[in-house]
Amino acid sequence: MTEAPGNSFEQRLAKERVSLQRDTTNTLQINTGLLCDLRCRHCHLSAGPGRKEVMSLKTMEQVIAYAKRNRFATIDITGGAPELIPHIEQLIASLAPLTQRLMLRTNLTALSQPGKDQLLNLFVAHRVVLIASFPSTNEGQLSAQRGGGVMEPSLKMLKRFNELGYGIEGSGLELDLVANPSGAFMPTGQEAAERKFKKDLARKWDLHFNNLFIFANMPLGRFADWLESSGNLDAYVEKLQAGFNASTLDGLMCRSLVSVAWDGSLYDCDFNQAANILLGGKPTHISELDGRPERGTAIAVGEHCFACTAGSGFT
Ligand code: SF4
């Protein structure tokens, strides 16, 4: 879905007499593809088993060449499940020396598959920051979002991370968790939720992590389909619009990030990938871009941007 100019988010920015422009682009986000072992209800990219859209070795090499040309402070590898993408080890090993902070998003279960020890060792060797999706400490809520049988391998992998030093004070290995509401409602306060997660995980399973981030679900992809089929779409979108908070604009990730899709095409963020809203409104391949997107250029937005600016925001 390509948003026409004048969508309601643009109109809201105009009404508030504010605009959304790039600051310095210091983060390169790499979406390695839509292949995943899970089919989560909240997935804005509708990733899942059998998806064929995965980054080729050639595109990886073009991404690495771009990262060499530009030296981003942070590189953020996401998916789908990046752990399942062929040549992911090569991508990690090549990018690690090029940045101060290499992050990888994991759904936990993909890493629990056999044959992933080499990848785990690579994370430790390069001090990769792991961002693990773990929507809830409640098994019923977790299963509702991610499918049955997900809790046990997720806990097993968190345990393994802790054994490797991830999430353990003084180890220098950072493990953060990401949670999101299980239905058509807004997230609770982050600090209180982090305290509760830390307490629950330590008490029930002796598990530890560094930070918890809680995000609103994007009305895109599979989550939009679920909202529609459950009759919640209009009410959810209205809730996001009503929660618009202009003070979130300065901290939005799209101001400092460029996002490259599995096929090398560029976007202002991963959500715009799902909405097919291209960087600068025109197709650009990573091999064609020399520098970073320029400071002061307008960010392409759509209706889904209300999910980033509702309440305390999505940064
Ligand atoms: S979805 Fe969020 S991060 Fe992406 S362009 Fe819109 S406001 Fe920015």
Side-chain angles (χ1 to χ4, degrees):
M1 165 183 78
T2 303
E3 307 276 3
N7 61 65
S8 61
F9 189 76
E10 285 180 333
Q11 287 160 9
R12 186 59 186 261
L13 293 180
K15 190 175 155 207
E16 301 277 339
R17 297 177 189 278
V18 289
S19 59
L20 192 49
Q21 293 174 343
R22 282 197 167 270
D23 196 346
T24 304
T25 302
N26 54 27
T27 299
L28 173 64
Q29 187 174 59
I30 303 163
N31 192 310
T32 51
L34 307 185
L35 176 65
C36 190
D37 57 320
L38 301 179
R39 207 187 296 271
C40 298
R41 185 166 77 190
H42 63 267
C43 185
H44 62 275
L45 286 160
S46 305
R51 293 292 304 247
K52 302 279 186 268
E53 302 91 335
V54 296
M55 190 172 272
S56 66
L57 185 56
K58 183 174 174 206
T59 305
M60 284 183 182
E61 284 164 355
Q62 290 166 332
V63 171
I64 294 162
Y66 180 68
K68 270 189 191 148
R69 292 198 290 278
N70 288 285
R71 299 297 171 126
F72 291 89
T74 301
I75 297 182
D76 176 4
I77 302 176
T78 185
E83 309 94 319
L84 302 180
I85 305 296
H87 314 295
I88 188 68
E89 292 88 354
Q90 190 171 328
L91 185 69
I92 290 169
S94 302
L95 291 175
L98 304 177
T99 184
Q100 292 140 35
R101 186 173 167 84
L102 181 61
M103 296 160 49
L104 182 132
R105 316 245 174 178
T106 172
N107 69 5
L108 296 171
T109 57
L111 271 176
S112 71
Q113 296 183 0
K116 298 295 176 197
D117 281 357
Q118 196 194 339
L119 197 50
L120 288 168
N121 293 337
L122 199 65
F123 294 158
V124 175
H126 291 295
R127 306 221 163 263
V128 177
V129 175
L130 296 177
I131 315 286
S133 179
F134 189 66
S136 176
T137 58
N138 174 293
E139 184 156 10
Q141 285 177 6
L142 191 72
S143 302
Q145 285 199 52
R146 320 206 86 176
V150 166
M151 182 62 103
E152 199 238 312
S154 301
L155 295 174
K156 209 173 108 197
M157 192 43 60
L158 287 172
K159 182 66 139 185
R160 182 91 173 94
F161 286 160
N162 282 175
E163 284 164 5
L164 291 167
Y166 272 102
I168 304 299
E169 218 180 308
S171 70
L173 295 170
E174 184 175 333
L175 171 63
D176 299 329
L177 302 187
V178 174
N180 51 285
S182 58
F185 45 88
M186 301 298 291
T188 52
Q190 187 150 296
E191 281 176 26
E194 183 178 284
R195 276 197 299 278
K196 184 176 179 325
F197 263 64
K198 283 202 162 158
K199 202 168 134 202
D200 281 359
L201 282 168
R203 183 177 54 84
K204 292 189 195 170
W205 303 293
D206 191 26
L207 292 172
H208 309 277
F209 64 95
N210 296 102
N211 308 293
L212 174 73
F213 301 109
I214 305 236
F215 298 131
N217 290 309
M218 278 280 152
L220 290 167
R222 196 175 293 120
F223 190 66
D225 294 344
W226 176 80
L227 286 170
E228 193 145 34
S229 64
S230 61
N232 282 301
L233 184 59
D234 291 347
Y236 186 67
V237 169
E238 278 166 27
K239 223 177 284 177
L240 295 178
Q241 292 182 351
F244 180 81
N245 175 3
S247 70
T248 60
L249 293 172
D250 278 354
L252 291 177
M253 68 174 104
C254 51
R255 299 196 63 228
S256 58
L257 171 151
V258 60
S259 174
V260 52
W262 64 273
D263 62 355
S265 54
L266 295 171
Y267 299 83
D268 284 299
C269 73
D270 202 57
F271 308 120
N272 281 7
Q273 277 192 37
N276 196 25
I277 300 178
L278 298 160
L279 181 86
K282 59 176 191 334
T284 313
H285 194 269
I286 192 148
S287 58
E288 300 162 359
L289 194 68
D290 272 335
R292 303 160 195 243
E294 274 178 35
R295 202 183 153 110
T297 50
I299 290 164
V301 295
E303 309 288 344
H304 58 281
C305 296
F306 279 110
C308 289
T309 54
S312 51
F314 194 149
T315 56

